[in-house]
Amino acid sequence: MRSALYRGEVAHSRLRPKRHSLGYKVFCLLLDLDELEALNGRFPLLGIERGGLFSFRQSDHGDGQTSLKAWAAARLAEAGIGYDGGRVELLCYPRLLGFVFNPLSVYFCHQRDGRLAGILYEVHNTHGERHTYALPASGDERVVRHAASKQFFVSPFMPMECTYRFRITAPRERVGISILEDDAEGLLLTASFTGRREELSNRALWRAFAGYPLMTLKVVLGIHWEALKLIAKGVPIFHWSPARQRIASGTVPVSDRRVPEQVE
């Protein structure tokens, strides 16, 4: 079974106009979308398309209707990324007692020979909107680097005129996701998740529940608590306006995919 659990830590650090940092422990599921049917009923603590202590529903992702693998294939084709139908692995938070919020879900899309074809970055905001950035991978890279112009409102404390720089260590024994966000003045924010793989089992799920109680609710509460701290520090607020489409994806221009040479 390729599906697994990753325990780790999320860290954010804002550099301007006031310094502000946070860090908290989390766990994610890595779900091979071809294994969803086999996972359903295999672990009493994990419900697939049904309730459970932990659960996963495809409608929480993608367009909310299409099967996720078909949806991912369509996004890759839309972006001109060659893909022959290999496995697609989704790194995300599961529902916990029926509740979930995923600031970022990452799809690792492979060719049939196992090489990485592309990565989908599915960004969610607290207004119930989501936007997906589709970017190619060369197939033989252990660490994948991407860049994309920001196209989607995420935080009221961040301007829209920004560029994301992604550095991804594809999931094996460890997984790593690093995002640098630049504005016209340079680096503004760093965010990262690093995690260690555990075999998916009832025991691992129990440990995750005991070690991270009500984690998905805490993610949302944490977002609002940190927002209050930023307001208290006098960080400017950028007002949200509804997206043209609540669920959207965008083709990233080739010129935007080039990562500046100084990125490590």
Side-chain angles (χ1 to χ4, degrees):
M1 179 172 290
R2 295 185 181 275
S3 298
L5 185 150
Y6 282 84
R7 291 172 175 260
E9 184 170 359
V10 165
H12 286 208
S13 183
R14 184 191 182 99
L15 306 180
R16 296 181 280 108
K18 304 286 186 179
R19 286 191 170 270
H20 184 76
S21 299
L22 62 90
Y24 48 93
K25 295 185 182 301
V26 297
F27 72 92
C28 297
L29 293 183
L30 181 75
L31 297 172
D32 185 325
L33 298 182
D34 287 333
E35 293 181 345
L36 292 181
E37 186 175 346
L39 285 169
N40 191 18
R42 179 166 181 168
F43 304 112
L45 299 182
L46 176 62
I48 304 296
E49 304 297 343
R50 60 179 177 83
L53 180 62
F54 299 99
S55 58
F56 172 79
R57 296 183 184 274
Q58 295 191 70
S59 59
D60 292 332
H61 302 273
D63 62 8
Q65 299 175 347
T66 313
S67 79
L68 278 184
K69 188 170 182 182
W71 172 85
R75 301 290 74 73
L76 294 170
E78 201 175 65
I81 298 170
Y83 167 67
D84 63 8
R87 72 181 188 277
V88 175
E89 297 169 323
L90 170 59
L91 186 71
C92 65
Y93 296 144
R95 286 182 176 230
L96 179 54
L97 296 172
F99 179 79
V100 70
F101 175 69
N102 271 285
L104 175 68
S105 305
V106 182
Y107 300 74
F108 298 91
C109 306
H110 299 262
Q111 305 288 26
R112 291 179 183 174
D113 64 6
R115 293 179 302 114
L116 194 61
I119 296 177
L120 305 181
Y121 302 93
E122 184 181 63
V123 183
H124 302 235
N125 67 22
T126 56
H127 300 283
E129 300 168 341
R130 54 185 180 255
H131 185 95
T132 301
Y133 301 86
L135 288 153
S138 70
D140 54 2
E141 299 171 289
R142 174 64 179 125
V143 176
V144 182
R145 292 174 173 84
H146 285 143
S149 297
K150 184 175 180 179
Q151 301 177 36
F152 176 68
F153 183 95
V154 178
S155 165
F157 303 101
M158 300 296 290
M160 282 295 296
E161 296 76 22
C162 289
T163 299
Y164 293 126
R165 291 182 280 152
F166 302 98
R167 184 182 187 276
I168 307 297
T169 304
R172 292 181 187 172
E173 287 306 306
R174 290 184 175 274
V175 65
I177 298 170
S178 172
I179 305 170
L180 307 182
E181 189 168 354
D182 298 330
D183 66 5
E185 298 178 28
L187 183 59
L188 181 58
L189 176 80
T190 69
S192 65
F193 167 69
T194 55
R196 181 184 290 273
R197 182 186 180 96
E198 291 189 19
E199 183 180 350
L200 191 57
S201 65
N202 282 318
R203 182 178 180 184
L205 290 167
W206 270 123
R207 285 201 307 266
F209 180 72
Y212 313 89
L214 301 180
M215 182 193 73
T216 52
L217 178 60
K218 287 179 179 178
V219 168
V220 174
L221 293 177
I223 288 171
H224 289 88
W225 175 242
E226 297 300 330
L228 291 175
K229 292 181 182 179
L230 290 170
I231 291 170
K233 290 181 177 182
V235 175
I237 293 176
F238 299 87
H239 294 287
W240 167 76
S241 58
R244 291 183 180 179
Q245 295 177 286
R246 188 179 69 83
I247 299 173
S249 60
T251 300
V252 179
V254 173
S255 60
D256 282 355
R257 298 175 184 178
R258 300 192 186 101
V259 179
E261 292 182 0
Q262 71 268 25
V263 177
E264 293 297 334

